[in-house]
Amino acid sequence: QVITIEKERYIVGEALFQPSILGLEDYGIVHQLITSVSNVASEYQKQLLENTMLCGGTVSMTGFEDRFQREANLSASAIRPTLVKAPEYMPEDLARHSAWLGGAILAKVVFPQNQHVTKGDYDETGPSIVHKKCF
């Protein structure tokens, strides 16, 4: 069976910039980032904005980074994000999964020692391990 994907492949990325095309009454990704950063103490805003890294599968779409930067430059806000590229030494496959990796690292740092569930724990005990270790 052949499935032809035409305009749908562009709508996915475009919806991040214009959620209204999906019927959502919300702001786009650039506005959301600027709003989030503006809610942080002013002494940290510059550092956050100078270290903005887009990651995950969506950003591998052709032209996504250029569009993001163009939208950021058009923003009425004085806050302007600057994109940081993944380090050159990072394998492409690793960069593609960097959003998940970042979440995993954050979870390891934020949760107190021994409050995380390993695959071994889960395999040994099953789903109930989550309630035993995390609550």
Side-chain angles (χ1 to χ4, degrees):
Q1 183 176 7
V2 175
I3 299 172
T4 304
I5 299 174
E6 295 175 351
K7 67 178 182 174
E8 294 84 1
R9 85 179 204 176
Y10 300 104
I11 290 175
V12 171
E14 186 62 24
L16 291 170
F17 295 98
Q18 295 182 52
S20 61
I21 65 173
L22 297 177
L24 301 172
E25 294 182 28
D26 213 339
Y27 294 104
I29 188 171
V30 174
H31 187 274
Q32 297 278 5
L33 173 65
I34 291 169
T35 301
S36 295
V37 170
S38 67
N39 288 322
V40 172
S42 59
E43 64 262 24
Y44 300 115
Q45 289 179 4
K46 186 175 189 283
Q47 186 178 4
L48 283 171
L49 290 170
E50 289 175 348
N51 292 289
T52 303
M53 179 183 279
L54 295 176
C55 51
T58 309
V59 300
S60 64
M61 295 175 69
T62 304
F64 189 88
E65 288 184 31
D66 292 337
R67 172 71 184 278
F68 184 92
Q69 200 63 64
R70 196 169 47 250
E71 295 271 333
N73 292 338
L74 293 173
S75 170
S77 172
I79 298 175
R80 297 272 160 69
T82 303
L83 296 179
V84 175
K85 297 273 189 198
E88 291 178 14
Y89 59 81
M90 184 182 283
E92 184 179 323
D93 213 28
L94 189 59
R96 190 173 329 162
H97 303 293
S98 58
W100 185 90
L101 252 162
I105 292 167
L106 181 63
K108 183 80 172 170
V109 171
V110 171
F111 290 120
Q113 189 67 12
N114 211 23
Q115 194 177 2
H116 62 281
V117 177
T118 66
K119 182 177 181 346
D121 292 338
Y122 189 87
D123 289 344
E124 184 179 315
T125 310
S128 64
I129 190 67
V130 175
H131 296 283
K132 289 177 185 172
K133 288 188 111 179
C134 300
F135 295 107

